[in-house]
Amino acid sequence: MNHSITSILLAALLLAACADEVDTDQLQLSSGYVSVGQTEVTLSGQGATQTVSVSANTPWTATSSEQWLIVTPASGKTSANITLECQANTSVTADRTATVTIATADGLHRSISVRQQKNDETLRFNAETLTFAAAGEAKSLVIESNAQWEIMGAGDWLTLSATSGQGNSEITITAEPNPLETERSATLTIRGTTLSDRVVITQEGRATTLAASPTELTFDAVGSQKEITLVGDATWQASSSAEWLTLSQKEGTGAAVLILSCADNATEAPRTAAVTIKTLRLELTISITQLAGQRPVLTQPVASAIGRESATLSSTFQSIFEVTGFGFTVSRQSDDIGTAYAVDQQSQGSFTLQLTGLTSHATYYIRAYATNKVGTAYSDPIAVTTEGTVPGEDDNVKPNL
């Protein structure tokens, strides 16, 4: 009978032990027990803390399977709260897991599964643009990141202290001296695991100079050439504001002598133009003036050998341009130019004309004239009276040349 009771008690104890193994809320052997408020915890990838309650009537210890997960307090005597704490996940592509075990000295234990989500990737810089002096210099680019990164696009005039790395870094960027007058640029692409961004690098063009002498020129009316001297090292472009003023050279670099060619001014008014010389950073203007053109200047005619029907006329002219025609005009009226009689002779400057077919005892008004590209000029008139008496019906009534 006692043997049967003993067997029954043993069987009851075994059944109780089996029941404890599948109990997910409370583990209880003899008079001791331990349980946790949560068996699964999810933490943020940026780092977080989570409180979990522990119910127990016996001393216990808490341990983490991974160093990145800290459990405090690490032990207790009865019920208490534990704090699960983690820093930011070092991975931006994968979650990570750990197990927290609550255990007692007599073999009771509970497990908490902890999962930390992957971190959100960060990629930031201390500047979106960096500008370098033309002489060359070094500047820092600070990268804030929680992932691996690499830099591309530096080109051959930039040197980087590093082109790849992990996490926060300070990169030294060195620009060589710029041999060009124009600004140059490069775009650095910083590529992380899932993010990428750009930093624009610019470098100023080298400083240049250019001066022109003289800054004012005056041309005679007759076409001619004059020079402008350029001194400096800048690249330049030159242009004229007028068609009548042309340049020997329209572009170049550094010192040069520009030859300005001015056409004849066939007008009776002065004219102006400007030569503009442009560089990347400055603009020079040379003021050009051309004197007015002039018609020929004539002396008053001289009449000699005046007869009844003829007279010899002579005059002189001066002209800055070629004279294309000259001679005398004859009129019976003082205020009328009258009829022109051209002189056909090769020599120019002084000229004569034998005027025949005149009417006796008549007064004629004679002017000298000459024509160039500006126009025709006339001298003051002289009055010439032929010899003889008042003409009769048979006398000539007009010159007959």
Side-chain angles (χ1 to χ4, degrees), residues 125-132 139 141 198-202:
F125 320 119
N126 64 327
E128 295 181 354
T129 60
L130 291 174
T131 301
F132 289 79
K139 292 193 174 185
L141 176 66
R198 296 179 178 181
V199 175
V200 177
I201 307 294
T202 58

Side-chain angles (χ1 to χ4, degrees), residues 121-123 125 143 145 147-152 163-165 188-198:
E121 183 174 358
T122 59
L123 186 63
F125 320 119
I143 299 176
S145 176
Q148 290 184 337
W149 48 263
E150 60 177 341
I151 304 176
M152 296 170 290
T163 57
S164 63
L188 301 182
T189 300
I190 296 91
R191 182 174 297 167
T193 303
T194 61
L195 300 177
S196 66
D197 207 341
R198 296 179 178 181

